[in-house]
Structure formats: structure tokens, C-alpha cells
């Protein structure tokens, strides 16, 4: 069997499991005397855990600054925060929240060492300036299970509207220094966010598993994450929402999704997510959750039309279909059909909104498709095929 060369990115120091949040203040102490804590709106800031953390830090003579990030971060927001704290000699940035908060914290830690705007470094929209990789140490503490940003080297920033974009600030050094995943923090996550985030993690695991850049390492990790998606996604959104084992399973799946996307890349769904997230005010998880079923259906249909029943990608889809439904993976056609049906069942059960809810219509499809990348997808889709995927979820 041929084993192609592959690259594997470094990982943060990972603290995983119930109660690990209590280790955060010790991790902060290891970096110095001044910390900047980045959180979301008010959900975490209004908890006893936030007050306890701040009190622990103050008790140890740590200077604490804190900022809030509401929604997906923009370059203007990052610049504003960085300009406020650049001269405060921040020793460590800590982000506690969902994927948007982690991306904001990652970008802040990267830009506190620079003297210009983050726009200069954004892929595809900036001036092409190359970041030198210097950053303030960064600790990521996710409170949702979806993006896997705690294990990746890129921070996604958005500007929504006409000429909008959703682009990455990226460098190998931007991988968090420490990632603390305590499933207790995700128990209070609302059902609709749990569902959209969970389908984002699923999309990343499946996309990396089917990626043209997949390796035996990423395949193994992706499948381990998909095992937990199978057992925990629906329970986390229903009767198991307060079950710590269910929440831990989703936290692990999300972590693995970040690890594999960083090393194998993703497919057409995340290709769509970039222009859609730039042009419309729609949560990233909803984009992934609402499109993944149609995208898998189109990929499988296209692979079948190519006429190779033993295609490795079809076999991989069949393997996941067998994992989720218990069917015989050697019956590739039936297993693929079962996978499509299971994803559609989840999208319906979890009440993932259609694109039309966010005022996306037929007139927008050409512009979205023009901005969509098809990189790492298991099959090259035509523009008409891509438009059909979108049309089916308007």
C-alpha cells in the first residue's frame, strides 16, 4: 500500500475533561503578571466561574483586563481591542467562549506584537503582508463544541455586507499554547447553538475524512470523532443536554474536527461558508449544518456518475454510513444512501434553518458560487452543481 507524504501541524497542550477549567488560573500564572481575558456576550461573564477566576488571579497579584466579543469578529473590532491594550504589556491572552471568541482571542494575541492593522495580513483581502509569527501566548477555552478553533492556526474574521468577506489570519505559531476543554462549560449552551455547532464539527470531520489531502493519521482521528458524533450529537440537543458524558463526547468530536481540518483541509461546504458568511449575517454553524446534507448528496451523485464503483471516496462515504446506521459498508450504494438519509434526518430533527431565513435568494446564488472554493473536495463540482446545492436549501 502506497503511503503518501503528509504534514501534521503541532497541537496545543491539551487539558481535557470535567473540572479542567479549575486549572486555568494556574496556566495563566505560568505566563506572567498581566492577562487579557476575552469572552462572549454576558452568558459566561455572569457566572460564578468568571468571578472565581478573576478573584483567583487578583489573589495572586495578576493584573486582569477583560473584553467582550459579540458575534463573529471583524477586523475593525480586533484593531480596536489591540490598540487599547497594546501598551499594557499583556503576558497572556485567554479566550473563553465559542468559536468566534476563540478566533478573536487568537487574532488579538497575534496582533498585540504588531504595529499595524490586522487587515494587512488577512488572506485574499489584505495587502499580502506576511505576519512574522510573533504573538502573545494564547490560551483557548471553548464553551461550545463546533469549530475546533482551539486546535487550529487560523483566526477567521468577517466583514458582513456588500463587498463583505470571511477570511483567515494564519500562521503556524498561532496554534493556541494551551487548550482547556471542560465539558461542564458547554452544558448551558442553548439547544440551537449546540445543534448548529455540532453539525459544524460533523461537517469538518467528514470533510477532512473525504479530503484529497487526507492521510492515515487524519482518517483515524476523523473516524474517532465521528464515533462520538454518532452517539452524542442528537442527545446533546435533546434528553442528554445535561449529561456530562454526552457533552464530553461532543467536546472531543469538536477538538478532533479542529485537528483534522488543520491537517487535511475541508471540502465544498466550507468553500460556501466563506462568501455566505461575508455577504450575509448568518452563523457559521448554520451555514454548515444546512448545507452538509445537500453537499454530501451531490458529491456522492457526482462520484457515481464518474463510473468507478470502487472509488476510494465512495468507500469512505459508505464507511461513515455504516458507522452511523449499522448497515453493511461493503454494500457501497446502500451505505451511501443511508448516510444521506441520516444527515437529512438530523437536519430536520435539529431544526436547522434554511438559507432563505437569512434573506438569501435565487438572485444571490451566482455571486456566492463565484466566491466559493472547491479545494480538497473529493470531486470537482461544476458551478451548476454548486448552485443546485444552495437552491435546495433556500
Amino acid at each position: 500500500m502506497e503511503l503518501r507524504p503528509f504534514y501534521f501541524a503541532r497541537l496545543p497542550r491539551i487539558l481535557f475533561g470535567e473540572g479542567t477549567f479549575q486549572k486555568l488560573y494556574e496556566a495563566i500564572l505560568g505566563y506572567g503578571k498581566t492577562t487579557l481575558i476575552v469572552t462572549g456576550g454576558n452568558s459566561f461573564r455572569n457566572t460564578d466561574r468568571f468571578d472565581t477566576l478573576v478573584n483567583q488571579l487578583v489573589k495572586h497579584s495578576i493584573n486582569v483586563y477583560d473584553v467582550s466579543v459579540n458575534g463573529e469578529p471583524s477586523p475593525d473590532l480586533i484593531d480596536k481591542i489591540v490598540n487599547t491594550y497594546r501598551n499594557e504589556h499583556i503576558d497572556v491572552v485567554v479566550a473563553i467562549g465559542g468559536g468566534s471568541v476563540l478566533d478573536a482571542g487568537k487574532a488579538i494575541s497575534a496582533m498585540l506584537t504588531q504595529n499595524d492593522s490586522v487587515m494587512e495580513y488577512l488572506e485574499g483581502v489584505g495587502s499580502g503582508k506576511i505576519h512574522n509569527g510573533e504573538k502573545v501566548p494564547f490560551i483557548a477555552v471553548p464553551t461550545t463544541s463546533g469549530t475546533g478553533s482551539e486546535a487550529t492556526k487560523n483566526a477567521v474574521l468577517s466583514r458582513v455586507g456588500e463587498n463583505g468577506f470571511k477570511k483567515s489570519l494564519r500562521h503556524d505559531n498561532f496554534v493556541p499554547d494551551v487548550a482547556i476543554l471542560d465539558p461542564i462549560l458547554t452544558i448551558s449552551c442553548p439547544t440551537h447553538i449546540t445543534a448548529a455547532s455540532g453539525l459544524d464539527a460533523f461537517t469538518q470531520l467528514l470533510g477532512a475524512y473525504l479530503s484529497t489531502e487526507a492521510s492515515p493519521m487524519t482518517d483515524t482521528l476523523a473516524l474517532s470523532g465521528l464515533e462520538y458524533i454518532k452517539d452524542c450529537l442528537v442527545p446533546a440537543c435533546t434528553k442528554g443536554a445535561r449529561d456530562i458524558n454526552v457533552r464530553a463526547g461532543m467536546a472531543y468530536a469538536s477538538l478532533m474536527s479542529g485537528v483534522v481540518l488543520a491537517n487535511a483541509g475541508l471540502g465544498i461546504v466550507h468553500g460556501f461558508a466563506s462568501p455566505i458568511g461575508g455577504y450575509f449575517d448568518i452563523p457559521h454553524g448554520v451555514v454548515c449544518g444546512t448545507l452538509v446534507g445537500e453537499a454530501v448528496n451531490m458529491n456522492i451523485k457526482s462520484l457515481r456518475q464518474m463510473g468507478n464503483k470502487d472509488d476510494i471516496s465512495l468507500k469512505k462515504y459508505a464507511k461513515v454510513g455504516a458507522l452511523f446506521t449499522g448497515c453493511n459498508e461493503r454494500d457501497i450504494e446502500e451505505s451511501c444512501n443511508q448516510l444521506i438519509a441520516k444527515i437529512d434526518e438530523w437536519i430536520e430533527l435539529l431544526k436547522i434553518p434554511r438559507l432563505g431565513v437569512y434573506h438569501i435568494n435565487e438572485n444571490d446564488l451566482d455571486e456566492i458560487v463565484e466566491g466559493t472554493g472547491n479545494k480538497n473536495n473529493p470531486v470537482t463540482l461544476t458551478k451548476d452543481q454548486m448552485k443546485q446545492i444552495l437552491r435546495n436549501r433556500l
Side-chain angles (χ1 to χ4, degrees):
M1 180 185 299
E2 181 184 1
L3 188 60
R4 296 187 310 164
F6 64 88
Y7 161 86
F8 204 87
R10 75 173 183 86
L11 296 174
R13 181 163 68 93
I14 297 170
L15 286 69
F16 183 99
E18 182 179 356
T20 50
F21 181 75
Q22 298 173 18
K23 302 289 186 180
L24 174 57
Y25 87 94
E26 295 177 3
I28 294 171
L29 293 178
Y31 287 103
K33 288 294 185 180
T34 305
T35 184
L36 173 62
I37 299 176
V38 185
T39 64
N42 294 315
S43 57
F44 179 77
R45 297 167 69 85
N46 291 336
T47 66
D48 291 340
R49 290 188 181 89
F50 181 76
D51 292 336
T52 299
L53 173 63
V54 172
N55 289 337
Q56 286 174 323
L57 294 173
V58 171
K59 180 180 177 181
H60 287 84
S61 301
I62 300 296
N63 298 318
V64 180
Y65 298 100
D66 63 275
V67 295
S68 296
V69 173
N70 292 302
E72 298 186 5
S74 67
D76 292 338
L77 175 64
I78 300 303
D79 284 348
K80 179 180 179 181
I81 294 172
V82 168
N83 289 337
T84 300
Y85 294 102
R86 181 178 281 120
N87 296 321
E88 299 297 339
H89 306 291
I90 303 297
D91 294 309
V92 59
V93 175
V94 181
I96 308 171
S100 295
V101 175
L102 300 192
D103 280 354
K106 196 179 295 182
I108 292 165
S109 82
M111 294 307 300
L112 282 171
T113 62
Q114 310 300 311
N115 292 311
D116 47 6
S117 170
V118 70
M119 274 297 300
E120 299 293 321
Y121 305 94
L122 286 184
E123 296 173 347
V125 292
S127 65
K129 194 170 184 179
I130 303 300
H131 198 289
N132 60 13
E134 294 180 8
K135 69 168 188 180
V136 171
F138 176 54
I139 301 173
V141 186
T143 60
T144 62
S145 298
T147 68
S149 183
E150 66 272 13
T152 68
K153 64 182 180 181
N154 61 304
V156 180
L157 306 181
S158 305
R159 181 172 289 163
V160 178
E162 188 176 357
N163 300 317
F165 58 81
K166 192 180 187 77
K167 297 292 183 179
S168 285
L169 173 69
R170 192 188 312 264
H171 194 283
D172 288 347
N173 291 347
F174 297 165
V175 175
D177 298 280
V178 180
I180 297 177
L181 292 95
D182 189 335
I184 290 176
L185 301 181
T186 68
I187 284 180
S188 61
C189 187
T191 298
H192 70 284
I193 296 177
T194 299
S197 298
L199 282 172
D200 183 13
F202 165 66
T203 302
Q204 292 176 171
L205 289 164
L206 188 64
Y209 184 54
L210 270 296
S211 169
T212 55
E213 295 299 316
S215 72
M217 280 188 72
T218 57
D219 282 356
T220 299
L221 295 174
L223 285 171
S224 75
L226 289 167
E227 285 267 10
Y228 283 94
I229 290 288
K230 170 181 72 79
D231 293 334
C232 300
L233 173 60
V234 172
C237 303
T238 53
K239 62 183 180 181
R242 302 195 64 80
D243 185 325
I244 194 66
N245 292 318
V246 168
R247 290 293 189 169
M250 288 305 300
Y252 175 80
S254 178
L255 174 63
M256 289 302 101
S257 79
V259 172
V260 295
L261 81 82
N263 290 284
L266 298 173
I268 190 64
V269 175
H270 281 77
F272 284 130
S274 181
I276 291 175
Y279 303 149
F280 301 94
D281 188 9
I282 176 173
H284 175 75
V286 171
V287 176
C288 295
T290 203
L291 293 179
V292 62
E294 292 296 336
V296 169
N297 192 353
M298 184 64 76
N299 281 344
I300 289 173
K301 180 180 178 181
S302 299
L303 288 165
R304 284 171 171 167
Q305 289 174 345
M306 293 167 67
N308 182 3
K309 294 182 179 180
D310 292 324
D311 181 88
I312 184 62
S313 295
L314 284 176
K315 287 182 176 180
K316 282 189 167 186
Y317 277 128
K319 189 176 185 69
V320 179
L323 172 65
F324 287 169
T325 68
C327 60
N328 183 358
E329 70 176 87
R330 282 185 269 184
D331 188 340
I332 295 175
E333 182 170 2
E334 178 60 19
S335 294
C336 288
N337 290 342
Q338 290 291 327
L339 173 61
I340 294 167
K342 177 58 68 174
I343 298 172
D344 289 343
E345 176 188 317
W346 283 347
I347 293 169
E348 185 69 21
L349 177 65
L350 300 180
K351 299 179 181 178
I352 304 300
R354 289 177 171 268
L355 297 173
V357 172
Y358 298 89
H359 310 294
I360 301 172
N361 58 51
E362 179 74 26
N363 295 330
D364 300 311
L365 301 190
D366 284 329
E367 186 176 21
I368 292 171
V369 168
E370 284 299 321
T372 296
N374 207 15
K375 187 179 180 181
N376 300 327
N377 202 55
V379 60
T380 301
L381 300 176
T382 67
K383 291 182 178 181
D384 285 342
Q385 288 173 319
M386 288 191 278
K387 281 201 288 187
Q388 191 59 53
I389 291 171
L390 297 169
R391 186 176 294 117
N392 289 348
R393 290 301 295 173
L394 289 178

